Amino acid sequence: MSVKAKFQHLMDTQYSRPAGVLGWFIGEKMIRQHKPETLWTIEQLKLEDNEQVLEIGCGAGYAMKQIASLNESHNVTGLDLSETLLQSATVRNKKAIIQKQMSLVHGRVEEMPFPDEKFTAVFSIHSVYFWEDLFKSLKEIERVLTPGGTVLITLCDGKDGEDWDTIKKMIRSELLPMMEQLKFMDLRVLEGPVSRGYHTVAVVGVKSSSR
């Protein structure tokens, strides 16, 4: 493996599961880079009082901090594969964690350690690319959502005016049909902000109230 290939492999690994000092740096970098779509995503959740919110791929905990500060009645849970980023999130959200308003969990979206129908809203920002089994992940999201709860998955589908056909096809041919199969309602794709040239979209659905 060439030096360039080794470096690319290292970066790919770090972005999917950041670790160590480099992982901490990447976590902070992602906060700065993704701030516009993070704030937009939180807006689209349209949270009311006393929401139970889960972020999948919570990273260094920036989005969670914003949600917790919006309304003290919200309870926020973050799930991530990276222990390094969970440590960063713990430092960033120390007060909310002490006050039992927030909790951080190490785990995988395909097998989430939560009871059925725990959360009123589930969201992710730029983590869907790393889900190993898309259908299993969506099925888990459906399981942990309360009836009438919202799921919102934010991702990029292009850059500098150029469409990413692979991502657009994944949304059209996999993500939306799978969510429909799982009986999510009100499915739609929202157009988000352009951040650093990247075009942001969010796939949104509501868990059916009837089984």
Side-chain angles (χ1 to χ4, degrees):
M1 187 184 289
S2 69
V3 173
K4 183 179 179 181
K6 284 181 179 178
F7 178 75
Q8 186 60 52
H9 174 71
L10 173 63
M11 294 306 293
D12 290 343
T13 302
Q14 285 289 355
Y15 271 92
S16 63
R17 190 185 302 190
V21 175
L22 179 57
W24 175 86
F25 171 78
I26 286 174
E28 296 303 309
K29 179 182 177 185
M30 286 192 289
I31 286 176
R32 294 192 299 273
Q33 290 181 333
H34 300 158
K35 188 174 180 180
E37 58 264 44
T38 297
L39 297 177
W40 174 79
T41 296
I42 294 169
E43 234 178 79
Q44 305 316 305
L45 287 171
K46 303 187 186 309
L47 298 173
E48 300 180 0
D49 290 342
N50 299 302
E51 298 271 11
Q52 296 282 333
V53 184
L54 170 65
E55 181 178 10
I56 296 169
C58 65
Y62 175 75
M64 297 176 67
K65 187 176 180 70
Q66 302 311 304
I67 292 171
S69 65
L70 280 175
N71 189 322
E72 290 184 357
S73 72
H74 296 330
N75 189 278
V76 193
T77 301
L79 179 80
D80 207 284
L81 269 176
S82 169
E83 293 180 351
T84 295
L85 292 190
L86 288 174
Q87 289 169 5
S88 293
T90 299
V91 173
R92 178 167 276 107
N93 294 286
K94 184 178 179 181
K95 181 180 177 182
I97 292 169
I98 291 172
Q99 294 175 341
K100 307 294 185 187
Q101 188 190 4
M102 186 183 295
S103 57
L104 295 162
V105 179
H106 182 253
R108 301 169 59 242
V109 62
E110 292 87 0
E111 296 179 66
M112 293 193 280
F114 306 120
D116 296 354
E117 300 183 358
K118 177 176 174 60
F119 301 103
T120 58
V122 176
F123 75 101
S124 77
I125 303 171
H126 298 314
S127 75
V128 67
Y129 322 114
F130 307 111
W131 298 357
E132 293 179 3
D133 186 321
L134 184 58
F135 184 77
K136 193 172 180 182
S137 300
L138 292 170
K139 193 172 181 180
E140 275 288 271
I141 290 170
E142 192 275 341
R143 180 183 67 79
V144 302
L145 263 177
T146 58
T150 298
V151 56
L152 193 151
I153 300 168
T154 295
L155 66 164
C156 289
D157 68 351
K159 185 181 182 187
D160 296 330
E162 181 181 344
D163 289 342
W164 290 348
D165 293 335
T166 303
I167 297 292
K168 283 185 171 288
K169 183 180 179 183
M170 183 273 286
I171 293 172
R172 185 177 62 252
S173 304
E174 297 180 55
L175 190 51
L176 288 170
M178 286 178 184
M179 292 176 75
E180 189 172 357
Q181 184 181 341
L182 290 166
K183 307 259 188 294
F184 281 102
M185 301 163 37
D186 300 331
L187 291 171
R188 57 204 188 277
V189 179
L190 306 178
E191 298 286 327
V194 174
S195 173
R196 299 171 296 115
Y198 292 94
H199 181 230
T200 305
V201 297
V203 178
V204 188
V206 175
K207 179 174 174 174
S208 173
S209 297
S210 59
R211 303 293 290 184

